[in-house]
Amino acid sequence: MGRHTCCYKQKLRKGLWSPEEDEKLSKHIAKYGHGCWSSVPKQAGDAVPATQGCNAWNFNIFFLPCCSVSDRSPLFLLHAGLQRCGKSCRLRWINYLRPDLKRGSFSEQEENLIIELHAVLGNRWSQIAARLPGRTDNEIKNFWNSFIKKMLKKRGIDPNTHKPLAEDKVGEAKASRTSEGASGSVDLRVPAAALASLNDAARGPASSSMPVFDTCAVERKASPMTKAIFLDQFITSQSSSDPVSVFPLAQLSFATDCSSSETALAELSACPNPLWLSQNSRLLEMNRDFHCNTVSTCLPSVPTTILSTSMDNSAQICAGIDGMQYSDAVYSGNSSQSSMNSTDTVEMQNSSSFFHNDIFLWPESTPDKDDQVQLEKEPEDLKWSQYLDGSFPMSAATQSQSQSQPLHCDVKTESPSVFSDLVTWHQIQQQLQSSDIHGKDFQMLSVGFGQV
DNA sequence: AAACGTCACAACCGCGTGCTT
DNA sequence: CAAGCACGCGGTTGTGACGTT
């Protein structure tokens, strides 16, 4: 579609906004909300009180304020609403006029968070902004391009790959070796962009039968996500306390016999380290250094229950994610859905916040009752409801619970079986793939898992 | 003081996607 | 099902402020 139709109309102002325009737009939105943006410019002009003027054909006629009512001579100001296109109004409101915007320079914490999120999400500025209350995607994008990029380069870090610049070529070489089908351990110190390299290499002719790494944050359309990869990326990028140092320590290991999931599971059971089973029966080994508190540092707003201190190893975290259940009220319409493994450990009670941009509810945005009502009405929820209805496993117990649950994420940490949950994830994913779920929504689901 | 370069940031542009008709 | 509309997103551009020569 491209350009908005209103943009083709002539005589629309461009360039910087005047204070008068700002005021007009602010007042209008404060009073009526934005509604349909394309109609905002006109309506904003119409919002002048009738006692001060009238409008006809979208021209507001103002009277000199010094004149008495009976003596008013109309001062014809050509004031055709806001001479801006709706798109421009939307942008101005979102990026500048919104009252909840945080002005001023970025704090160090924000800076670090942006770097870490960028390692996971890439240039998904809107998603990054969703985790930085009061900041806009545009603001973050500008900050990144003008400051962080240079700072990282200065420190010898590639801002795209988040790797030390000198290691880029080494990483490529590793990927190349991987593509030759070698079984073994690949050190995943590299975030998403480096995974892309691995992917490129793995898709080569010599490895067509091999499962490839999915660069989940980058391209999702070609292949569905595996949960393991989400977490892998998440951990890879998030487990560094120093955002400009090497991203440590998530390791990806291959089972010696990838053809048999039973073999893999047996190996898993025997292994002292927590291990993760990807969709393709490859094993993901979590480094022992990855602890719950690592997660909590990068997910500051997650309610404490979601990252219980009892979860001191990644296997438990893994189990929780694998066993995710969706219990928002909007999903609960169909109680005949097949049930999920009853030992599942995570219940997502706010699907809208989880699957949309606000994957986690920040303290500042902890919803009050009104917000909750609003969230429940969001179209996104309805869409997910449709997708999940009848095809997505959900326990009846969870559904009934969901009606009275609070709107934040909650986690039960009892985790009797990691591996049954892993299998559950696999089943879920198969169902998702076989159902008619649009790529973007699967992507949202994927991002959701990736952020836990 | 003027010219020039750099930087930050606001705003625009084009595209993708979902919804409605 | 196709077309049109509306919105959101990410990349790019324009512009003013500031610093340097």
Side-chain angles (χ1 to χ4, degrees), chain A residues 124-137:
Chain A
R124 289 191 163 77
W125 305 116
S126 62
Q127 291 184 26
I128 293 173
R131 291 153 185 77
L132 285 156
R135 301 295 187 182
T136 69
D137 53 354

Side-chain angles (χ1 to χ4, degrees), chain A residues 124 196 199 203 214-223 225:
Chain A
R124 289 191 163 77
N199 246 353
R203 289 186 209 279
D214 201 302
T215 59
C216 68
V218 184
E219 294 117 7
R220 294 192 175 80
K221 289 180 181 175
S223 60
M225 300 296 98

Side-chain angles (χ1 to χ4, degrees), chain A residues 326 328-340 381-396 399 427-428 430-437:
Chain A
Y326 310 92
D328 193 289
V330 296
Y331 296 155
S332 61
N334 186 349
S335 60
S336 63
Q337 290 156 323
S338 59
S339 65
M340 188 183 263
D381 290 335
L382 298 175
K383 279 183 281 175
W384 276 97
S385 177
Q386 289 165 1
Y387 293 148
L388 300 175
D389 187 16
S391 63
F392 201 89
M394 184 195 307
S395 72
Q399 292 173 46
Q427 292 168 343
I428 292 168
Q430 283 182 332
Q431 290 190 41
L432 284 169
Q433 288 174 53
S434 62
S435 64
D436 188 25
I437 294 180

Side-chain angles (χ1 to χ4, degrees), chain A residues 3 18 48 105 113 140 142 145 171-173 218 281 289-290 295-297 333 337 354 366 371:
Chain A
R3 204 171 183 194
S18 69
V48 177
S105 55
L113 188 57
I140 293 169
N142 286 332
N145 287 328
E172 286 168 13
V218 184
S281 297
D289 292 344
F290 179 71
V295 176
S296 63
T297 57
Q337 290 156 323
F354 187 85
T366 300
D371 290 335

Side-chain angles (χ1 to χ4, degrees), chain A residues 187-189 235-236 239 247-251 285-287 289:
Chain A
D187 188 1
L188 281 184
R189 288 162 190 254
I235 291 156
T236 302
S239 57
F247 288 86
L249 286 176
Q251 276 205 327
E285 179 182 355
M286 301 303 302
N287 189 286
D289 292 344

Side-chain angles (χ1 to χ4, degrees), chain A residues 3 38 62 68 124 153 161 169 232 269 281 312 343 422:
Chain A
R3 204 171 183 194
S38 58
F62 290 88
S68 68
R124 289 191 163 77
K153 278 180 183 171
T161 63
K169 290 180 180 175
D232 193 35
S269 307
S281 297
D312 60 356
T343 62
L422 288 167

Side-chain angles (χ1 to χ4, degrees), chain A residues 367-386:
Chain A
D368 56 25
K369 206 169 182 179
D370 291 339
D371 290 335
Q372 182 171 346
V373 169
Q374 190 178 352
L375 281 167
E376 285 171 353
K377 290 177 180 172
E378 284 189 0
E380 201 63 48
D381 290 335
L382 298 175
K383 279 183 281 175
W384 276 97
S385 177
Q386 289 165 1

